[in-house]
């Protein structure tokens, strides 16, 4: 907890903590990033589940995967800034820890999916659909956990 | 398969709608508070003056109350900062308590600490 308390004392963090404009702006960036991330993840997962079959798969997946990664990076950066103002407090919240655990799980799902895709013999392709469902459920739960951090 | 079966689309749409239709939670506005004024007297158990919400936790004879203040910039502009109050200080909070009386939560318009008055919602304080 002590390193986190030190972060709370950084000049820039202290300014963000009491700012009238900067904090809501960072907050808005976080929301925008989450919106882009959830939308692209949902579209990717729906594609795997059989929707948008008329669109060519490869460019569709490439575009949305890139968007999802960029949105995730932006969400992490803005999230770190939001976290910093009360780092030691948030770090002890079960709902925050749950959110971080779920993000790690989503990352594992993505890695597993990438591994399945790279298998030339397509041995595990029956797992694609359950993984897609898992991914969408996990990200929606991450969203909800994040929302509740502000209210507990 | 060209499109999702209708039942799946419908279920997904309903699930997403349910996410955003969660009952409005506390904090913002005054709709969740009672109309009449409420006074709370106790000892500060915790204080946080900053984004996203400025709050006091007040120990009232062993019961912990959550006192919500104005947005941080407004609370600080009213003179109520980390410097003027600390854990263990006696505090009087005047404002509006939650309509749900099982919830130990209120929104303060005026805070009195060490004989000093801070009107965090100067336009809502009780007429003197």
């Amino acid at each position: 907890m002590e390193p986190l308390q030190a972060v709370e004392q950084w000049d820039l963090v202290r300014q963000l903590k009491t700012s009238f404009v900067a904090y809501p702006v960072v907050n808005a960036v976080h929301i925008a990033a989450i919106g882009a991330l959830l939308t692209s993840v949902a579209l990717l997962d729906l594609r795997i589940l059989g929707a948008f079959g008329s669109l060519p798969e490869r460019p569709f997946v490439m575009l949305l995967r890139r968007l999802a990664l960029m949105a995730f990076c932006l969400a992490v950066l803005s999230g770190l800034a939001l976290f910093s103002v009360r780092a030691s407090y948030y770090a002890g919240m079960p709902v925050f820890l749950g959110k971080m655990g779920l993000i790690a799980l989503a990352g594992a799902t993505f890695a597993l999916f990438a591994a399945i895709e790279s298998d030339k013999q397509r041995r595990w392709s029956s797992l694609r659909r359950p993984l897609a469902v898992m991914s969408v459920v996990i990200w929606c739960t991450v969203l909800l956990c994040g929302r509740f951090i502000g209210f507990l | 398969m060209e499109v999702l079966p209708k039942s799946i689309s419908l279920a997904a749409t309903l699930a997403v709608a349910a996410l955003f239709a969660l009952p409005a939670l506390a904090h913002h506005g005054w709709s969740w508070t009672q109309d009449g004024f409420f006074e709370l007297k106790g000892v500060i158990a915790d204080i946080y003056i900053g984004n996203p919400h400025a709050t006091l936790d007040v120990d009232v004879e062993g019961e912990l109350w959550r006192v919500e203040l104005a947005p941080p910039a407004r609370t600080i502009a009213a003179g109520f900062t980390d410097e003027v109050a600390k854990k263990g200080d006696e505090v009087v909070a005047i404002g509006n308590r939650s309509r749900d009386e099982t919830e130990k939560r209120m929104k303060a318009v005026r805070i009195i600490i060490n004989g000093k008055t801070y009107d965090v919602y100067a336009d809502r304080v009780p007429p003197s």
Side-chain angles (χ1 to χ4, degrees):
Chain A
M1 282 295 164
E2 264 172 33
L4 293 179
Q5 280 165 352
V7 167
E8 290 167 8
Q9 297 308 318
W10 291 355
D11 259 1
L12 208 61
V13 171
R14 285 172 62 99
Q15 280 173 32
L16 185 64
K17 178 183 163 189
T18 53
S19 70
F20 180 62
V21 175
Y23 188 90
V25 169
V26 175
N27 205 346
V29 170
H30 197 58
I31 293 169
I34 290 168
L37 176 61
L38 254 86
T39 305
S40 44
V41 163
L43 289 175
L44 281 166
D45 289 333
L46 285 171
R47 183 72 172 78
I48 291 155
L49 293 172
F52 324 119
S54 57
L55 296 173
E57 180 165 6
R58 216 180 137 67
F60 182 86
V61 169
M62 291 304 278
L63 170 69
L64 287 177
R65 210 172 257 183
R66 199 170 298 164
L67 180 62
L69 284 173
M70 275 166 47
F72 179 71
C73 291
L74 196 59
V76 169
L77 290 176
S78 52
L80 277 172
L82 296 175
F83 173 75
S84 67
V85 300
R86 283 194 97 172
S88 59
Y89 170 74
Y90 291 136
M93 287 178 96
V95 68
F96 174 81
L97 297 171
K99 178 182 174 181
M100 294 304 116
L102 284 167
I103 291 173
L105 192 61
T109 315
F110 179 72
L112 191 56
F113 198 87
I116 290 169
E117 295 279 274
S118 66
D119 178 36
K120 296 275 187 299
Q121 287 142 45
R122 302 243 155 239
R123 276 169 300 182
W124 311 101
S125 47
S126 61
L127 287 175
R128 294 170 85 238
R129 289 166 152 267
L131 277 176
V133 173
M134 256 181 79
S135 155
V136 122
V137 170
I138 292 170
W139 281 112
C140 287
T141 317
V142 168
L143 176 78
L144 275 180
C145 286
R147 188 70 280 238
F148 272 93
I149 291 171
F151 291 98
L152 294 175
Chain B
M1 200 197 301
E2 282 291 305
V3 287
L4 282 179
K6 278 218 169 67
S7 57
I8 295 186
S9 312
L10 184 64
T13 310
L14 286 177
V16 171
L19 280 181
F20 293 99
L22 279 173
L25 296 155
H27 279 311
H28 299 281
W30 300 83
S31 61
W32 59 278
T33 63
Q34 293 180 351
D35 291 331
F37 282 105
F38 177 72
E39 186 174 307
L40 190 75
K41 211 178 268 184
V43 174
I44 296 179
D46 205 358
I47 178 168
Y48 179 74
I49 310 292
N51 284 305
H53 302 285
T55 57
L56 287 177
D57 286 341
V58 179
D59 184 333
V60 185
E61 288 161 1
E63 282 190 328
L64 210 55
W65 280 71
R66 168 59 59 89
V67 178
E68 302 188 0
L69 306 168
R74 185 168 181 172
T75 299
I76 293 163
F80 193 63
T81 64
D82 285 329
E83 271 89 61
V84 302
K86 59 181 186 310
K87 279 185 202 178
D89 283 353
E90 278 194 34
V91 60
V92 178
I94 296 161
N96 307 75
R97 76 176 288 183
S98 171
R99 282 182 198 279
D100 175 4
E101 296 204 356
T102 60
E103 193 182 37
K104 294 182 190 62
R105 187 186 282 265
M106 68 174 288
K107 188 155 172 165
V109 300
R110 171 175 284 168
I111 298 284
I112 305 166
I113 287 183
N114 302 322
K116 272 212 78 177
T117 298
Y118 305 91
D119 288 341
V120 296
Y121 280 106
D123 51 336
R124 297 187 69 108
V125 297
S128 48

